[in-house]
Amino acid sequence: MANRLICGTPGLISVTRTLGRQGVCLSRPQYAVLCRHVVPMGTTAKEEMNTFWAKNSRSNRPLSPHLTAYKWTMPMMMSVAHRGTGIGLSGAVSAVAVAALVLPGNYPYYLDLIHSLSFGPFLIGLAKLGIAFPLSYHAFNGIRHLIWDIGKGFRMAEVYRSGYAVIGLSIITSIALVLR
Amino acid sequence: MSSIWIENSEMEDKRKNVAIKLQTIHSRLVCVCVCVCVCVCVCVCVCVCVCLKKGNVVLQNTRSHSSSDVGAVDAGIVGSGGQRNSKMSVLGVSSLSRCGLLALRSPAGVAVRYAQTAAAPVAQPRIKKFQVYRWDPDTPGDKPRMQTYEIDLNSCGPMVLDALIKIKNEMDPTLTFRRSCREGICGSCAMNINGGNTLACVLKIDTDISKPSKIYPLPHMYVVKDLVPDMSNFYAQYKSIEPYLKKKDESKEGKEQYLQSMEDRDKLDGLYECILCACCSTSCPSYWCIADKYLGPAVLMQAYRWMIDSRDDFTEDRLSKLQDPFSVYRCHTIMNCTSSCPKGLNPGKAIAEIKKMMATYKEKKAAAV
């Protein structure tokens, strides 16, 4: 951090600044009238942060409520859903990959197995929705994220509008995929 | 603030309102009558005085003229006396009438005054409940709890800070909170009200008295007492981005202004107005999780403010200082920050711009070299 003495004589600036940076407050009586002795800040930002964590973790101070107190808004919930669907989808892909490696038999064998179990169209539709909706939601919200990455659509009205568009599109797409 | 017209759709209140209207009309009529009477009296008195003056002049003339003729004088005097008497009688009548009017007026006046004060009825008290987070460090074993206070909104200012001050003044002096400017510029009274982070002095109390107002300190901060959070980490993070102008050549410092074009100055609009209230940073779930390593929207917006200041020479330096997985890149564009900013600023956008700059500055540097 730059600890500086603000003096009337410019010639002193470079000398005093270097000394100041080392945390020394130079006192020159003959320039006492002109010089303003800035009390050097003994702490750096890092030191202040460390003091904060040391003091507070040792104390019995509570943490103010966050998830329980904060209002759940639409953009917040959509962000959580994006994360949730992302984890779900990547988990499912990984599970399928591992299963393909581990389980005996190939894909057509398991397809015939599921067909033979006669689940009924409703349950099959539900299962399809369970895959289609996270996929379409994550894809459309991903596009929204990419638009944010180029710096567009950051006004709150635009955030809400794009959010509703994503939800609408993903519902339509997932239903279309299920009914196909 | 008392409101005569209470917003209530019940029939009784409507009838009351009609009665109030009638009363005001009645009182106004009475006032008009009284004023007319007063004016009439004043006019009569003025006329009487004028006539009396004229009478006196006549009297003087008759006296001076008929000084020898006593009888005539007597007659004259009698005559003028009679005249005067008549005038006096007129005066007497007028004064009597005035007294009568006064007598008439006083009960009417009282009635008028009563009607006037009765026209402003006692407003129904609008009691609003405030649930406030309380924790006392000096009471051993105290646990954070919610305490409910009831405030009559008719005798309270419109902002949440007014309610808190009223509670502290009249009901519970131990309630602790930060406040200073009461006009939304200092950032001291930032707290979580009804689920959103804002300044208490800027947020109007929700006048729906069926719902309580919930007041918490800023989320996920160490609580010093009641609504006061420990802000030292926030300030230390702000210090770490070096929020001041840095020039490569400091020899010209203080000699004259560093000039800047109007376009370059416009880039700072929407960034310099930040009051460092911490509403945005404490609304960010990423900042809740990693307050030690992630800088938070407020600090990042100020870092951007210094990066794009055309007078600052250390833009690349500032960008390179943020090159680690946590300082900037824990932002996942949740956009709680922009939503909560009480000054209407957009930290989310500022962080997106930083990310863009961080992606391209190395190429620019390489190209420049």
Side-chain angles (χ1 to χ4, degrees), chain B residues 46-67:
Chain B
V46 162
C47 294
V48 157
C49 290
V50 163
C51 293
L52 213 59
K53 269 197 181 163
K54 279 195 183 149
N56 275 338
V57 166
V58 164
L59 200 62
Q60 295 280 1
N61 285 340
T62 49
R63 268 206 187 142
S64 61
H65 272 308
S66 53
S67 53

Side-chain angles (χ1 to χ4, degrees), chain B residues 45-102:
Chain B
C45 294
V46 162
C47 294
V48 157
C49 290
V50 163
C51 293
L52 213 59
K53 269 197 181 163
K54 279 195 183 149
N56 275 338
V57 166
V58 164
L59 200 62
Q60 295 280 1
N61 285 340
T62 49
R63 268 206 187 142
S64 61
H65 272 308
S66 53
S67 53
S68 56
D69 190 359
V70 175
V73 165
D74 285 338
I77 287 172
V78 165
S80 61
Q83 232 184 2
R84 211 173 4 144
N85 280 337
S86 71
K87 290 288 176 289
M88 283 192 73
S89 68
V90 167
L91 236 182
V93 164
S94 70
S95 64
L96 259 172
S97 67
R98 223 179 337 142
C99 287
L101 267 165
L102 268 166

Side-chain angles (χ1 to χ4, degrees), chain A residues 145-167:
Chain A
H145 260 92
L146 289 170
I147 297 171
W148 280 335
D149 284 340
I150 54 172
K152 292 212 182 295
F154 270 103
R155 267 178 278 158
M156 273 330 283
E158 291 168 349
V159 168
Y160 273 89
R161 231 179 288 146
S162 58
Y164 285 125
V166 161
I167 290 173

